[in-house]
C-alpha cells in the first residue's frame, strides 16, 4: 500500500474516533449539569448506542454492502450526523435529547464497519497493515479528550459542537477516499445472517458457550464505567476529568501490544481471568478513592482500562476467530459484537442507571455503594468462568 494511501486512511480513522471520543466520554456530565438528568435517564442515553450496535450490522450487511459504495454512504451519514449533533444542543428536555442521541447513534455506528471496509479494501496484508492504521483512531480519541479538557468544556454543549465540526470534516473527506464498491451487490443476505446467526453452531462447543455467557455478563460492569465514570470523577473533585480519562486509552494502546506475547505464554483462560480480575480491582479503587490522599486510586482505576478492555474483549475477539475458523469468522465476530456491545450493554446500561438512582438522595450520589455493585457482579462472573471454562487447547 502506498504511503499516501496509508496517510489518507490514517486520517480517516483519526477523525472517526475523534468524533466519538469528543461527546461520548463527557455526555453523562453534560446531562447531569444541563438537563438535571437522573441516573436512569443517563443510562437511556448510553443505551442508545448499544441499540444502534445491534441494528447497524443489519444496515451494513443488507443495505450498505449491497447497494452503495462504502465511502459515499459513510460521507452522507457523517454529514447528517453533524447536523444531529448540533440539534442535541438545542433541547433541555431529557426525552427529546435521548431520542436525538438514539438517532445519531443509528447514523454513527454503521460508519465504524464502513470505515473498516474502506481500509481493508486498500490493503494487501490487513493483518500487518490494519493495526497501524487503526492506531490513529485511538490517537483521535485521546486528542479529543485533551482538547475537551484544555478548553474546559466537558460539561458544556461544546462537546457536541466539536464533534459536529469533526463529523462535517469527515463527511466531506469521505468523498475523497478510495472507491469501495458494494461487495455483495449480486448476493442476498438475510437479517439473521447479518447478525451472525450462522455462528450459532459455536455454542455446541461448551467452552465457547461458557466464555460467551461470561462476555455478555461482564458488559454489566463495563457499562458502569462508560455511563458514569466521567460524572463520578467530576463529582469526586478530579480536575479536567476528561483529560485524565485519556490515560485509559493510552493504557489500552500499550496493553494491546502485550497480548500476542502473553497469549503464547499463559493462554486464553488466564488472559480472560486477568481481564475480569482487573474490573474488580478498578471498581474497588473507585469505591474508596477520592481527590485527596487516595487520588492515586482514581488514577489507577483509569489506567487499568487497558487490562480490563484488552485482556478480555480483544482476547475474546481473537478467541472467537480461532474457534470459528475461516468459513464463519465474520459471522462469529458479528454475533460476538451484537451480544456484547449490543445486548450486554443494553442490559448493563439499564441496570447501572437503576443502581445510580437507588444510591442517590436529593441528587447526591453515594459513589462508594454504586461502585461496589459492579465489583460483586464481576466477582461472580469471574468465579463462574474459573469453575466452568475447560478449554484445554487454549489454556
Amino acid at each position: 500500500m502506498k504511503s499516501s494511501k496509508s496517510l489518507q486512511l490514517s486520517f480517516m480513522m483519526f477523525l472517526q474516533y475523534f468524533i466519538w471520543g469528543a461527546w461520548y466520554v463527557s455526555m453523562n456530565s453534560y446531562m447531569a449539569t444541563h438537563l438535571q438528568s437522573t441516573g436512569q435517564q443517563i443510562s437511556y442515553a448510553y443505551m442508545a448506542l448499544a441499540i444502534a450496535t445491534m441494528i447497524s450490522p443489519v444496515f451494513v450487511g443488507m443495505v450498505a454492502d449491497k447497494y452503495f459504495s462504502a465511502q459515499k454512504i459513510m460521507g452522507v451519514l457523517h454529514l447528517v450526523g453533524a447536523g444531529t449533533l448540533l440539534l442535541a444542543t438545542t433541547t433541555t428536555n431529557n426525552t427529546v435529547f435521548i431520542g436525538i442521541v438514539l438517532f445519531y447513534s443509528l447514523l454513527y455506528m454503521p460508519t465504524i464497519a464502513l470505515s473498516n471496509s474502506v481500509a481493508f479494501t486498500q490493503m494487501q496484508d490487513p493483518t500487518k497493515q490494519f493495526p497501524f492504521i487503526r492506531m490513529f483512531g485511538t490517537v483521535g480519541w485521546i486528542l479529543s479528550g485533551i482538547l475537551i479538557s484544555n478548553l474546559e468544556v466537558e460539561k458544556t454543549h461544546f462537546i457536541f459542537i466539536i464533534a459536529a465540526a469533526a463529523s462535517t470534516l469527515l463527511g466531506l473527506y469521505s468523498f475523497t477516499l478510495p472507491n469501495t464498491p458494494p461487495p455483495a451487490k449480486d448476493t442476498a443476505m438475510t437479517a439473521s445472517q447479518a447478525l451472525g446467526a450462522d455462528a450459532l453452531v459455536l455454542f455446541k462447543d461448551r467452552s465457547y458457550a461458557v466464555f460467551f455467557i461470561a462476555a455478555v455478563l461482564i458488559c454489566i460492569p463495563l457499562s458502569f464505567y462508560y455511563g458514569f465514570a466521567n460524572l463520578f470523577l467530576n463529582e469526586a473533585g478530579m480536575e479536567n476529568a476528561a483529560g485524565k480519562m485519556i490515560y485509559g486509552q493510552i493504557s489500552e494502546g500499550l496493553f494491546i501490544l502485550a497480548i500476542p506475547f502473553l497469549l503464547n505464554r499463559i493462554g486464553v483462560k488466564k488472559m480472560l481471568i486477568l481481564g475480569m480480575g482487573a474490573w474488580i480491582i478498578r471498581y474497588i479503587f473507585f469505591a474508596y478513592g477520592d481527590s485527596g490522599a487516595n487520588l492515586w486510586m482514581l488514577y489507577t482505576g483509569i489506567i487499568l482500562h487497558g487490562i480490563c478492555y484488552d485482556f478480555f474483549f480483544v482476547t475474546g475477539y481473537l478467541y472467537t476467530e480461532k474457534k470459528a475458523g475461516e468459513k464463519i469468522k465474520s459471522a462469529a465476530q458479528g454475533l460476538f459484537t451484537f451480544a456484547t456491545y449490543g445486548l450486554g450493554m443494553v442490559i448493563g446500561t439499564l441496570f447501572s442507571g437503576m443502581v445510580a438512582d437507588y444510591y442517590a438522595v436529593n441528587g447526591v450520589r453515594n459513589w462508594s455503594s454504586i461502585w461496589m455493585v459492579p465489583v460483586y457482579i464481576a466477582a461472580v462472573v469471574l468465579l463462574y468462568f474459573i469453575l466452568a471454562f475447560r478449554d484445554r487447547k487454549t489454556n
Side-chain angles (χ1 to χ4, degrees), residues 229-388:
N230 183 262
L231 177 60
F232 158 67
L233 293 172
N234 275 303
E235 291 190 357
M238 177 178 277
E239 296 183 4
N240 298 324
K244 304 299 193 308
M245 287 182 72
I246 67 170
Y247 296 146
Q249 272 59 54
I250 295 172
S251 167
E252 181 183 328
L254 293 175
F255 277 109
I256 200 170
L257 300 176
I259 288 178
F261 175 82
L262 290 173
L263 265 178
N264 291 330
R265 284 158 179 78
I266 66 175
V268 166
K269 182 174 183 178
K270 291 178 182 177
M271 287 286 287
L272 295 172
I273 289 173
L274 285 173
M276 286 184 280
W279 285 106
I280 297 172
I281 297 170
R282 154 186 268 181
Y283 288 137
I284 289 175
F285 282 175
F286 277 0
Y288 292 98
D290 54 53
S291 58
N294 293 323
L295 182 62
W296 66 272
M297 289 186 174
L298 301 184
Y299 278 107
T300 304
I302 293 170
I303 294 170
L304 278 171
H305 182 70
I307 298 177
C308 292
Y309 182 83
D310 290 340
F311 282 27
F312 191 89
F313 287 98
V314 176
T315 299
Y317 276 114
L318 293 173
Y319 178 59
T320 296
E321 177 139 345
K322 184 175 181 180
K323 282 288 185 180
E326 194 65 32
K327 288 185 179 180
I328 61 168
K329 67 178 183 179
S330 294
Q333 298 292 2
L335 179 63
F336 183 69
T337 300
F338 174 85
T340 52
Y341 280 95
L343 178 62
M345 288 297 288
V346 166
I347 297 170
T349 51
L350 281 173
F351 183 71
S352 62
M354 292 169 59
V355 171
D357 282 344
Y358 182 80
Y359 288 108
V361 179
N362 297 324
V364 179
R365 298 172 182 85
N366 183 340
W367 286 110
S368 293
S369 297
I370 291 171
W371 290 125
M372 287 308 296
V373 173
V375 168
Y376 300 140
I377 296 172
V380 170
V381 177
L382 176 59
L383 182 62
Y384 155 76
F385 182 78
I386 291 172
L387 296 177

Side-chain angles (χ1 to χ4, degrees), residues 1 6 66 76 113 130 170 192 194 223 245 379:
M1 184 170 58
S6 177
K66 189 173 176 61
V76 172
F130 184 73
L170 181 53
S192 62
S223 67
M245 287 182 72

Side-chain angles (χ1 to χ4, degrees), residues 198-206 208-209 320 323-324 328 332 335:
D198 290 347
L200 292 175
V201 66
L202 286 174
F203 294 134
K204 293 180 180 178
D205 184 324
R206 182 181 179 278
Y208 187 80
T320 296
K323 282 288 185 180
I328 61 168
L335 179 63

